[in-house]
């Protein structure tokens, strides 16, 4: 027998209360309690059985390819039967496009798929689908925001893969909390995840994030789902990254690279990020090689230093502003490169995020090259973490970074003195102990 009762949950801190109260007993905030339905199964008459792990078959490896190579890459092959994947990102980044591309490719491959559109009408979805190319047979859409209807449809149709776009718009009208509130979204996700598990449907939930990058509903869905994929990218740029933040069936941290084009998201071969020719050398631009998942990417760091009026401005785009502040201080203290009083702008070309410590050296060199008006050859790549004493610290995965930089067209690379490297014939490796040494190499091509 299944009993159901309501509790009230604070949307700020998650504290439960059996009754509605005006002030949360946990965090003291006013009017933050929402009703949540709890379904509790009564005691089962059959005693619980145990199973030897040796006898449990390991069929979790059964994956359905998404048909989008870069998506498969972050998922470690594709969707696992009965699993739930949360696809989240800022509005306009391309979640609906990616979800539709995936369903289209799956339908083309003969899989049963279903899109539950909670935000757009079938006509709007069809318009988007036509932009992607021919619309295959079996690419079915149902428009609803009602979680019970969605649940019933999933049970009846039992598609291989279903997408709910978006989970934030799904609600249960028997709950008193407003549609879109944390308890509604969590309740809807819980019910739909349970359907996925019991029917074997691979379910994709599309989720929104607020401006500060939090999942709408303070990370309320992350623990419910098996996999969390973030779609990253600058909405005004074309580059998009897929990143596995949580993955029950494979490694996390893997990145996929896509490019937003007129006909949807295109897979981006690494070669597209190859180094461009030396004729483009300008002061303030230094290329680095990052370590992201099992991938190394060439990222161009750009700096502009201008005489400011009034209090100096520091603007960092896609790199950490704290790191920038620290590096400006190190440049001043250890290399006598003074930017106090000047406006400093730094960014990465194409909007690729570069937030790991290995980017430090390129960032510092880019600023130095902008201040001192010398150009660093584009075929010279720099990687290393910069310490407060101006020393160059070792970075993770140095050998792979160097290999990849070489493969993508680097002719020389500045690296920290420590760290194992393979032989790379044709690539000049400059080992430097400090930022000051690296600066000398960047300026003169040698120590
Ligand atoms: P969308 O998938 O709707 O974003 P989200 O679901 O994350 O909010 O895509 C948003 C942008 O992508 C939109 O501004 C239009 C653009 N776009 C293209 O450039 N090409 C395309 O083929 C499609 C479908 C969308
Ligand atoms: Mg959308």
């Amino acid at each position: 027998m299944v009993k159901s009762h309501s509790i009230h949950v604070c949307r700020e801190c998650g504290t439960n209360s059996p009754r509605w109260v005006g002030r949360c007993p946990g965090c003291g905030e006013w009017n933050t309690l929402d009703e949540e339905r709890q379904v509790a199964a009564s005691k089962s008459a059959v005693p619980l059985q145990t199973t030897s792990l040796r006898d449990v078959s390991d069929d979790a490896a059964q994956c359905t390819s998404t048909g989008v190579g870069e998506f498969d890459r972050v998922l470690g092959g594709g969707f696992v039967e009965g699993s739930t994947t949360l696809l989240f990102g800022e509005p306009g980044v391309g979640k609906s496009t990616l979800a539709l591309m995936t369903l289209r490719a799956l339908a083309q491959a003969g899989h049963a798929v279903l899109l539950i559109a909670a935000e757009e009408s079938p006509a709007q979805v069809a318009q988007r689908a036509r932009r992607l190319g021919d619309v295959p047979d079996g690419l079915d859409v149902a428009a609803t925001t009602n979680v019970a209807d969605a649940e019933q449809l999933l049970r009846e149709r039992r598609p291989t893969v279903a997408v709910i776009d978006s989970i934030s718009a799904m609600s249960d009208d028997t709950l008193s909390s407003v549609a879109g509130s944390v308890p509604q979204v969590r309740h809807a996700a819980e019910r739909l995840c349970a359907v996925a598990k019991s029917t074997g449907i691979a379910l994709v939930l599309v989720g929104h994030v607020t401006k500060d990058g939090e999942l709408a509903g303070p990370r309320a869905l992350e623990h419910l789902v098996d996999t969390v994929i973030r779609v990253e990218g600058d909405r005004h740029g074309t580059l998009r990254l897929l990143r596995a933040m949580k993955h029950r069936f494979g490694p996390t941290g893997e990145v996929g690279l896509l490019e937003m084009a007129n006909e949807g998201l295109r897979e981006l071969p690494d070669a597209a990020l190859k180094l461009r020719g030396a004729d483009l050398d300008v002061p303030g631009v230094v290329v680095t090689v990052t370590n992201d998942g099992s991938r190394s990417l060439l990222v161009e760091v750009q700096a502009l230093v201008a005489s400011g009026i009034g209090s100096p401005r520091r603007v960092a785009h896609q790199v950490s502003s704290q790191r920038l502040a620290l590096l400006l201080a190190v440049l001043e203290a250890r290399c006598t490169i003074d930017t106090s009083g000047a406006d400093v702008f730094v960014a990465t070309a194409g909007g690729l995020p570069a937030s790991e410590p290995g980017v430090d050296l390129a960032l510092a060199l880019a600023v130095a090259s902008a201040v001192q008006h010398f150009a660093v050859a584009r075929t010279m790549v720099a990687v290393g973490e910069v310490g407060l004493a101006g020393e160059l610290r070792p970075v993770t995965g140095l050998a792979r970074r160097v290999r990849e930089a070489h493969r993508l067209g680097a002719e020389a690379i500045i690296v920290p003195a420590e760290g194992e490297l393979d032989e790379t014939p044709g690539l000049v490796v400059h080992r430097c102990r400090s930022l000051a040494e690296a600066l000398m190499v960047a300026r003169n091509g040698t120590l």
Side-chain angles (χ1 to χ4, degrees):
M1 206 194 97
V2 173
K3 272 190 283 189
S4 131
H5 70 279
S6 288
I7 57 163
H8 292 82
V9 182
C10 173
R11 77 180 78 98
E12 298 293 332
C13 70
T15 300
N16 295 349
S17 162
R19 278 173 299 108
W20 188 86
V21 283
R23 188 175 191 186
C24 171
C27 63
E29 285 293 319
W30 288 93
N31 287 326
T32 54
L33 263 65
D34 289 309
E35 185 190 9
E36 201 163 301
R37 182 75 35 91
Q38 291 238 314
V39 182
S42 60
K43 253 195 186 155
S44 149
V46 190
L48 193 60
Q49 301 286 320
T50 61
T51 313
S52 161
L53 279 181
R54 213 186 308 173
D55 302 335
V56 179
S57 76
D58 174 23
D59 45 11
Q62 264 206 349
C63 278
T64 308
S65 162
T66 64
V68 180
E70 293 293 292
F71 200 4
D72 282 352
R73 179 184 182 125
V74 285
L75 289 171
F79 294 125
V80 173
E81 221 180 273
S83 70
T84 333
T85 304
L86 177 67
L87 189 65
F88 81 101
E90 287 180 19
V93 76
K95 304 177 294 293
S96 301
T97 305
L98 178 63
L100 194 61
M101 277 173 65
T102 302
L103 292 185
R104 179 173 175 267
L106 286 162
Q108 266 166 345
H111 292 288
V113 297
L114 179 64
L115 172 64
I116 296 183
E119 289 182 356
E120 290 171 315
S121 66
Q124 285 170 313
V125 177
Q127 192 183 16
R128 191 197 301 271
R130 288 196 192 103
R131 241 177 121 168
L132 302 177
D134 300 333
V135 182
D137 274 346
L139 182 48
D140 291 352
V141 60
T144 183
T145 56
N146 186 298
V147 66
D149 290 350
E151 208 179 85
Q152 194 190 352
L153 191 61
L154 288 174
R155 285 195 197 282
E156 276 168 21
R157 296 284 294 264
R158 304 228 168 186
T160 312
V161 178
V163 171
I164 313 284
D165 189 359
S166 72
I167 188 65
S168 325
M170 297 300 289
S171 64
D172 177 346
D173 48 23
T174 64
L175 282 186
S176 64
S177 45
V178 290
S181 66
V182 175
Q184 281 280 12
V185 175
R186 193 163 51 193
H187 173 80
E190 259 165 19
R191 283 178 66 169
L192 294 167
C193 289
V195 176
K197 278 225 169 62
S198 64
T199 55
I201 300 171
L203 187 67
V204 179
L205 305 177
V206 175
H208 293 307
V209 279
T210 49
K211 264 199 220 89
D212 53 9
E214 281 283 300
L215 251 184
R219 317 203 83 92
L221 302 183
E222 285 191 20
H223 72 281
L224 276 178
V225 299
D226 299 305
T227 305
V228 178
I229 307 286
R230 187 163 75 194
V231 189
E232 301 173 4
D234 186 345
R235 206 150 39 110
H236 306 292
T238 56
L239 196 70
R240 297 290 183 270
L241 270 85
L242 303 179
R243 197 185 294 276
M245 314 294 293
K246 164 184 177 179
H247 196 22
R248 233 167 235 166
F249 312 108
T252 52
E254 193 54 82
V255 266
L257 268 184
L258 294 161
E259 185 181 32
M260 184 59 92
N262 272 333
E263 66 293 345
L265 288 157
R266 245 198 327 242
E267 304 195 18
L268 204 62
D270 287 349
L273 298 170
K274 263 194 165 183
L275 287 176
R276 279 169 287 156
D279 51 324
L280 288 162
D281 292 350
V282 279
V285 178
V286 176
V287 178
T288 190
V289 57
T290 62
N291 207 6
D292 219 343
S294 66
R295 193 161 211 164
S296 288
L297 299 173
L298 290 182
V299 180
E300 192 181 295
V301 180
Q302 304 183 331
L304 183 66
V305 179
S307 53
I309 307 161
S311 52
R313 298 210 293 154
R314 273 88 178 85
V315 182
H317 194 56
Q318 301 288 12
V319 296
S320 148
S321 40
Q322 275 107 326
R323 288 314 282 181
L324 175 64
L326 183 144
L327 292 169
L328 293 182
V330 173
L331 278 170
E332 187 184 337
R334 312 289 173 196
C335 308
T336 60
I337 293 178
D338 184 8
T339 51
S340 61
D343 288 344
V344 180
F345 303 92
V346 296
T348 60
L352 265 175
S355 50
E356 50 122 3
V359 175
D360 280 0
L361 180 59
L363 197 56
L365 291 179
V367 172
S369 116
V371 171
Q372 301 189 330
H373 306 288
F374 67 89
V376 179
R378 247 184 235 226
T379 48
M380 178 178 278
V381 171
V383 63
E385 182 180 344
V386 175
L388 289 179
E391 81 279 22
L392 264 199
R393 298 160 151 280
V395 293
T396 56
L398 182 65
R400 192 183 68 201
R401 296 193 209 223
V402 170
R403 223 169 28 238
E404 281 297 293
H406 187 39
R407 188 176 71 82
L408 296 170
E411 288 166 15
I413 188 163
I414 308 177
V415 297
E418 279 169 59
E420 297 236 337
L421 284 183
D422 311 329
E423 289 279 320
T424 40
L427 178 74
V428 184
V429 178
H430 299 281
R431 294 271 197 181
C432 293
R433 280 165 301 169
S434 65
L435 175 58
E437 279 186 16
L439 193 53
M440 215 178 308
V441 174
R443 202 188 291 125
N444 309 327
T446 176
L447 254 185

